[in-house]
Amino acid sequence: MHNSSRNAGAAHVSPRKDAIKFSILVGLSAIFVDAAIAHGLLWENDPYWTYWITKTFLITTVFLFGTAFLGIGIIPGLVLTAVHTLIFEIYYQWLAPVGLPRELDFNHLWITGVPVHFLAIFGGYLMALWLWRRNHPALEAERGETWRFVVYGLVTAVMIVANDGILTQLLLLQDFPGITFFVQHILIAFVFVCVWTAYAGAGPTGWTVGALMLALVWTTYAMYLGPRGLLFEEPYYSGYRDLWWLSFSGGFVSALIGW
């Protein structure tokens, strides 16, 4: 009787929120296995905080978007882990701002890096899947609603970043921040827009507060973790005026328009 009531209540949980919670669980589990096993036990190195946080956003993005189309399970996990590994190795070699990517050779990136990262991320996925199914034994996300939701999140994120590129970077700062900058901002914006929309809802108030919070997240990330200039220049960081007077205000307006 108790289990039936619990499962009946679970059936009314928004599939959007389920997809988000599962993807965040995968992101945290996978980055933990990557840190503990891949970089700790096998490679004995630390790629610094920019790597850890940006990669967590990348994992969450890939699995949130992919889970909406493929669902939750072993086979979807294998497919999405392979997709993530390919995207990550490309980012790792050409776009990553600090740490190991500029020190590793082809062998460490593509020969040993691919299988190690694949196994680490898939190990994290399996741990997340096990935890998820212990708490959602009979629940399967409604893909029809979920894939439309993540497509909305991706399109909105791209529009916001495009607005920011024109308004903030081109007009206010008059500087091209680099390809890595835009990749990082899209990853952050996609996860943020999906989470915020699922929990805060739509409407003028939700959009306004969400735009303000996204601008704050972007500015904080840029202050501590997000250098400018890459891929074609040496990385450099914005100063106080550029961050808080120009980037923050420009990001807020860009998000408000794009949302």
Side-chain angles (χ1 to χ4, degrees):
M1 182 70 176
H2 177 72
N3 289 336
S4 298
S5 299
R6 184 180 66 178
N7 291 338
H12 292 88
V13 176
S14 168
R16 299 178 178 184
K17 294 181 180 179
D18 276 337
I20 289 170
K21 287 187 285 187
F22 177 73
S23 301
I24 291 175
L25 181 60
V26 172
L28 295 176
S29 299
I31 202 66
F32 171 75
V33 176
D34 185 48
I37 305 301
H39 289 275
L41 179 63
L42 298 180
W43 289 329
E44 298 182 81
N45 58 43
D46 178 11
Y48 307 116
W49 280 103
T50 298
Y51 171 94
W52 300 122
I53 293 178
T54 304
K55 186 173 182 179
T56 303
F57 274 104
L58 176 60
I59 296 168
T60 304
T61 294
V62 171
F63 282 90
L64 174 56
F65 194 84
T67 298
F69 289 89
L70 302 180
I72 296 171
I74 300 294
I75 301 302
L78 286 168
V79 173
L80 294 177
T81 302
V83 171
H84 166 270
T85 302
L86 177 61
I87 295 173
F88 176 71
E89 294 299 329
I90 294 172
Y91 177 88
Y92 201 65
Q93 179 166 357
W94 288 293
L95 300 175
V98 295
L100 294 175
R102 302 194 176 277
E103 302 169 8
L104 296 183
D105 55 22
F106 182 87
N107 176 67
H108 286 88
L109 277 172
W110 295 100
I111 305 302
T112 61
V114 169
V116 169
H117 281 127
F118 179 89
L119 292 174
I121 301 307
F122 188 61
Y125 181 88
L126 291 178
M127 182 165 61
L129 180 63
W130 178 75
L131 291 170
W132 184 262
R133 285 185 168 169
R134 286 183 65 84
N135 292 276
H136 303 78
L139 184 62
E140 179 66 25
E142 299 175 18
R143 296 184 201 171
E145 177 184 347
T146 308
W147 76 257
R148 285 190 289 270
F149 169 66
V150 298
V151 169
Y152 160 79
L154 181 61
V155 171
T156 302
V158 170
M159 290 176 60
I160 292 173
V161 173
N163 290 338
D164 185 70
I166 296 172
L167 176 61
T168 307
Q169 311 306 322
L170 181 62
L171 298 180
L172 295 180
L173 295 173
Q174 299 180 357
D175 177 52
F176 179 67
I179 297 174
T180 296
F181 175 92
F182 289 109
V183 172
Q184 292 171 340
H185 275 55
I186 289 175
L187 293 176
I188 295 171
F190 171 70
V191 174
F192 183 89
V193 167
C194 288
V195 172
W196 190 268
T197 302
Y199 285 90
T205 302
W207 292 331
T208 302
V209 179
L212 182 67
M213 293 305 299
L214 177 58
L216 185 61
V217 170
W218 270 353
T219 305
T220 305
Y221 180 91
M223 183 175 184
Y224 296 105
L225 303 170
R228 302 167 64 88
L230 295 169
L231 162 74
F232 302 111
E233 302 178 35
E234 287 298 315
Y236 60 94
Y237 288 83
S238 298
Y240 182 90
R241 175 182 175 274
D242 287 349
L243 278 173
W244 293 104
W245 287 99
L246 301 179
S247 295
F248 176 71
S249 57
F252 170 63
V253 174
S254 299
L256 200 58
I257 295 172
W259 216 320

